[in-house]
DNA sequence: GATGGTTCCTCCAGTCACTGTAGGAGCAAG
DNA sequence: CTTGCTCCTACAGTGACTGGAGGAACCATC
């Protein structure tokens, strides 16, 4: 309510680029704010909170559809939170799978690098490790 | 060399969709293969290996530019492998960072879910956890 | 040899979540 | 009044694909 913010100020306060804010407006994540005489967007503290919420959720890897759902839920605080729970749960599963995959990859990269004799490619395990795995074919 | 493969067979053997194979051809990751009378692409075992190499590298999160560099290196086995080593090294750093970030996220998601009272959104910690963090503003 | 089903061809548009650019207008300070 | 910054819209580009249209080719069967 207090002190209108320009898109640049909102950008700095929430840590989201102005172009991205306009993109979020078009995508329906951020509302169309009131405008000044000169047609500039005017934001308030509520917008800072909403945008920071979006940024945080995006950083946590929630996709825009999920963020939209979460925002709709938080806009209707009388609603059932089971959906929010489910979104977070789905996300947790995906995150665990990614961690497992990346941990395996880390081991593989370390092995690759430690075995690389710093010689020619013919002796290089970086290439070979990838090529080796190429033979294992099917399941990921 | 033995037994020509159709794009469909290559697709099945390497676990990469035919459309994606054509896309890789356009992007220069896969070579333009010989064609049949009827203008169909003809692949061999070498293509299966190359495509599997690409698939594996992509699954490990190497971006196309890196895959291209690795492929060029493996195409010239007399070259220096320092570059391959460097690509893998850069990647290892990024992978470690990703794992750290995802592990933090996992903890946060678990906390969110365990605290969700399965009631209305007003009491829901999933939303609140996101909103809470929204206040923490600046650095990510 | 006609038929039908599958696979393949090219070309092009769409996806996601932005990012960047062009070309202009508004605004505040010197 | 001019300089320089921020902001406006509109649109094109990114990466890494994915999907569809519309047509040709191949294969098996009748």
């Amino acid at each position: 309510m207090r002190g209108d913010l320009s898109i640049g100020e909102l950008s700095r306060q929430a840590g989201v680029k102005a172009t991205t804010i306009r993109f979020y407006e078009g995508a329906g994540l951020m509302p169309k704010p009131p405008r000044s005489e000169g047609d500039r967007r005017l934001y308030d503290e509520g917008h800072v909170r909403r945008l920071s919420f979006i940024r945080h959720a995006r950083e946590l890897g929630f996709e825009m559809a999920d963020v939209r759902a979460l925002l709709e839920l938080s806009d209707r605080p009388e609603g059932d939170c089971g959906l929010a729970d489910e979104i977070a749960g789905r996300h947790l599963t995906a995150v665990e799978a990614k961690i497992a995959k990346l941990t395996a990859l880390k081991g593989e990269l370390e092995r690759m690098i430690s075995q690389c004799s710093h010689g020619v490619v013919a002796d290089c395990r970086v290439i070979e490790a990838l090529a080796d795995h190429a033979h294992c074919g099917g399941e990921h």
Side-chain angles (χ1 to χ4, degrees), chain A:
Chain A
M1 222 97 236
R2 253 212 344 269
D4 286 322
L5 306 170
S6 70
I7 196 169
E9 281 164 312
L10 175 61
S11 170
R12 277 182 290 280
Q13 287 193 32
V16 175
K17 290 185 182 169
T19 43
T20 306
I21 296 169
R22 286 189 281 258
F23 168 75
Y24 285 160
E25 186 181 318
L29 291 189
M30 287 295 286
K32 284 179 190 292
R35 301 287 187 117
S36 73
E37 290 287 295
D39 208 33
R40 278 141 191 250
R41 288 168 178 84
L42 297 174
Y43 295 100
D44 61 29
E45 296 303 314
H47 291 111
V48 177
R49 278 193 299 278
R50 190 183 182 92
L51 184 55
S52 301
F53 179 108
I54 295 169
R55 182 193 126 209
H56 189 63
R58 291 285 308 124
E59 272 173 8
L60 293 187
F62 289 91
E63 45 192 61
M64 273 174 58
D66 287 339
V67 179
R68 217 183 323 263
L70 289 170
L71 281 167
E72 270 162 32
L73 286 168
S74 71
D75 288 344
R76 295 180 290 99
E78 76 288 352
D80 184 2
C81 95
L83 181 55
D85 195 25
E86 191 245 311
I87 292 169
R90 254 195 299 115
H91 203 60
L92 178 58
T93 308
V95 165
E96 280 167 347
K98 267 190 201 171
I99 289 173
K101 235 182 149 181
L102 283 170
T103 304
L105 164 57
K106 180 164 130 64
E108 198 164 340
L109 283 171
E110 278 164 350
R111 190 173 56 77
M112 282 182 194
I113 291 166
S114 74
Q115 289 177 348
C116 176
S117 58
H118 295 270
V120 297
V121 173
D123 310 320
C124 180
R125 298 285 324 173
V126 175
I127 300 283
E128 227 180 287
L130 251 24
D132 280 355
H133 263 263
H135 295 294
C136 78
E139 90 290 14
H140 84 284

